[in-house]
Amino acid sequence: MIALSIAELAEIVGGRLSDISPEQAARTSVTGSVEFDSRKITAGSLFLALPGARADGHDHAAAAVAAGAVAVLAARPVGVPAIVVDPAASDSRSGALEHDDAAGSGAAVLAALAKLAAAVAATLVARGLRIVGVTGSSGKTSTKDLLAAVLAPLGEVVAPPGSFNNELGHPWTVLRADENTDFLVLELSARHRGNIAALAAIAPPQVAVVLNVGTAHLGEFGSREAIAETKAELVQAVPKSGVVILNVDDSAVAAMAGKTAARVVRVSRAAPADVWAGPVALDELARPHFTLHAGVGASEVRLGVSGDHQVSNALCAAAVALECGATPQQVADALAGVGAISGHRMQVSTRADGVMVIDDAYNANPDSMRAALQALAWIARGEKPGAQPRRSWAVLGEMAELGEDAISEHDRIGRLAVRLDVSRLVVVGVGRSMGAMHHGAVMEGSWGAEATAVPDVDAAHALLRAELRPGDVVLVKASNSAGLTALADALISDDAGDR
């Protein structure tokens, strides 16, 4: 973050000083990072006192200051130098939580954080920072990682780790930028209408990317049309002088061209488009390679990430880099050099015993589930000349927040596993959705024992430890709430000699 005095911070967020004099606040500056985890505090940091499910950051304020924080952003005095914001004044507080003190405190601190991030972003944009925002129902995090890679040859890049894309992670990422940052890449997600507009207002993007409109969070939005309207909030935030990158292979995204005053760059897996891919082929790990076409230039691209669905993500990242001054060859070189960066997203690992684990356990929706299953099937078939088919396992958990479509969508995924000739399906979890996935697989064909339902991660791990054989390929995928990230970690660390 750019250096600001505690007094300047208090003025920006509309807070009052506590346990520090005005004179000392004017002399003392935040020169380090802004952190909400007291364990990550370093000298010169600002600590955010946020209430959580298990702990209240206010209780850790003194420890944060002892570790080097110069001040705390809090909703009440904490006995150490602090900027205190009033929960009653927060306009971010949900009406449903009006009488919840913890929720009110958290909303106040988050609202102050948003004000601080907006002020810092405005200052840095005036100094030449370029902000790139990306949204979509699936692929945001993978594309964010690709964007960071293709922009790196052009300057200093700040991008969020993992999926820091909400009302906390978004401003926190903005505040990682400083005077040396040339590009700030931001991932924007939504659970309700207006969420993306609110995030975009904190750091208005000069370049926006919309990947797709799917059915993630369908239970929250009610319809795909409502999801499209929410994703379009990003393109509406781009000024006339900016650029909007649209994946026109998705008709709902293509229609957003009429909702922005900015210049539109269209990307597609085929011509005609401004940026497009020649014939796509996959290698033995389902890593795509294709010809990148952009204007009069063309370059051969071999992606370092797995899955045919990564082609659209890569094209969107390429379009951004080209708009920012990269050559097609620079883009191709950068895309080839980047693998899976954010954890639990199409990370392919091969154990000492030859078992391959495809860890895509961080999140799931019907679109990303289909893409992951297709990658599993491709890898298991052994597309490398002379390779023998490998036994494949799909270890799947619940896709959350699908609303009334949950039963039908889980049923479809179970049936798809059969159609793709996956050797074994392990359905992890209980409830109607997981029952529907198991039932769909059984009803699709004469599977019987090929589809197994287990109640939890421990049971799934025990089954796999007992039955995996060298050379098997295992996909682990679910929404994060299902907890299958722990299963993926356990499988990767398992050693054949321990069984």
Side-chain angles (χ1 to χ4, degrees):
M1 190 181 83
I2 60 176
L4 291 169
S5 71
I6 296 174
E8 289 174 316
L9 286 168
E11 183 176 358
I12 289 170
V13 304
R16 59 183 175 85
L17 299 174
S18 176
D19 292 291
I20 184 172
S21 68
E23 295 76 18
Q24 187 178 2
R27 293 194 305 268
T28 307
S29 294
V30 173
T31 56
S33 59
V34 177
E35 302 292 353
F36 53 86
D37 185 339
S38 61
R39 296 167 297 183
K40 296 183 178 180
I41 291 294
T42 57
S45 291
L46 174 68
F47 177 60
L48 305 176
L50 286 167
R54 298 181 180 178
D56 187 339
H58 292 82
D59 298 332
H60 297 274
V65 171
V70 296
V72 178
L73 183 56
R76 63 175 185 269
V78 286
V80 292
I83 301 166
V84 178
V85 290
D86 182 7
S90 171
D91 59 4
S92 298
R93 191 171 175 178
S94 169
L97 300 172
E98 285 183 355
H99 304 294
D100 187 327
D101 290 339
S105 296
V109 175
L110 287 175
L113 177 66
K115 291 179 182 178
L116 175 58
V120 169
T123 298
L124 292 177
V125 167
R127 298 177 183 178
L129 174 70
R130 200 159 192 183
I131 299 174
V132 180
V134 57
T135 194
S137 293
S138 60
K140 294 185 295 297
T141 300
S142 295
T143 304
K144 173 264 301 179
D145 291 338
L146 294 173
L147 281 166
V150 297
L151 291 173
L154 307 180
E156 293 295 321
V157 181
V158 167
S163 293
F164 271 45
N165 54 24
N166 61 12
E167 67 274 16
L168 172 59
H170 182 84
W172 179 88
T173 301
V174 172
L175 294 173
R176 313 310 276 185
D178 60 23
E179 296 90 342
N180 298 315
T181 307
D182 298 295
F183 301 99
L184 174 61
V185 178
L186 298 170
E187 179 183 338
L188 296 86
S189 70
R191 291 183 182 275
H192 304 285
R193 294 190 189 194
N195 285 163
I196 289 178
L199 295 178
I202 294 172
Q206 293 103 330
V207 183
V209 178
V210 185
L211 301 170
N212 46 57
V213 175
T215 53
H217 308 304
L218 188 60
E220 298 286 347
F221 288 96
S223 69
R224 189 167 181 264
E225 291 73 22
I227 295 173
E229 290 176 6
T230 302
K231 300 302 181 188
E233 292 171 8
L234 180 60
V235 306
Q236 292 166 340
V238 180
K240 186 177 182 179
S241 59
V243 181
V244 168
I245 313 293
L246 299 179
N247 172 23
V248 296
D249 292 332
D250 186 314
S251 60
V253 176
M256 294 179 193
K259 296 187 176 183
T260 180
R263 182 165 55 88
V264 175
V265 173
R266 294 167 173 83
V267 305
S268 172
R269 290 178 59 113
D274 300 303
V275 178
W276 59 283
V280 177
L282 304 179
D283 69 7
E284 68 276 11
L285 293 181
R287 294 173 299 199
H289 51 94
F290 57 89
T291 302
L292 170 66
H293 298 270
V296 296
S299 291
E300 295 301 311
V301 173
R302 291 184 175 272
L303 296 183
V305 290
S306 296
D308 181 76
H309 61 288
Q310 299 284 9
V311 174
S312 295
N313 297 340
L315 288 172
C316 287
V320 172
L322 293 168
E323 286 294 322
C324 293
T327 66
Q329 191 57 53
Q330 281 180 312
V331 171
D333 292 343
L335 291 173
V338 59
I341 296 176
S342 296
H344 302 289
R345 294 168 180 83
M346 290 304 291
Q347 291 184 309
V348 180
S349 305
T350 301
R351 301 185 336 195
D353 62 354
V355 170
M356 180 183 292
V357 179
I358 305 171
D359 176 7
D360 199 26
Y362 185 83
N363 214 343
N365 58 58
D367 297 322
S368 67
M369 191 72 88
R370 283 188 284 270
L373 284 170
Q374 288 162 355
L376 169 67
W378 178 273
I379 293 171
R381 279 198 298 268
E383 297 299 329
K384 189 174 182 179
Q388 295 298 314
R390 305 169 71 173
R391 197 167 63 147
S392 57
W393 295 72
V395 185
L396 309 180
E398 184 176 20
M399 300 178 289
E401 299 175 351
L402 294 181
E404 295 179 356
D405 290 333
I407 301 301
S408 60
E409 291 290 358
H410 282 84
D411 175 88
R412 290 189 185 102
I413 293 300
R415 294 174 185 273
L416 178 62
V418 179
R419 294 171 190 161
L420 290 173
D421 202 25
V422 173
S423 306
R424 293 286 301 274
L425 171 66
V426 180
V427 175
V428 185
V430 297
R432 295 180 63 202
S433 293
M434 303 318 296
M437 183 183 290
H438 182 260
H439 182 263
V442 172
M443 295 302 294
E444 183 65 21
S446 57
W447 255 36
E450 293 98 331
T452 304
V454 296
D456 53 34
V457 166
D458 290 341
H461 191 201
L463 171 68
L464 291 162
R465 282 176 65 90
E467 299 193 24
L468 280 178
R469 299 198 301 256
D472 287 358
V473 185
V474 186
L475 168 69
V476 183
K477 186 165 181 63
S479 288
N480 195 37
S481 57
L484 265 62
T485 54
L487 175 61
D489 289 338
L491 289 174
I492 292 168
S493 64
D494 276 348
D495 187 277
D498 294 337
R499 296 203 299 272

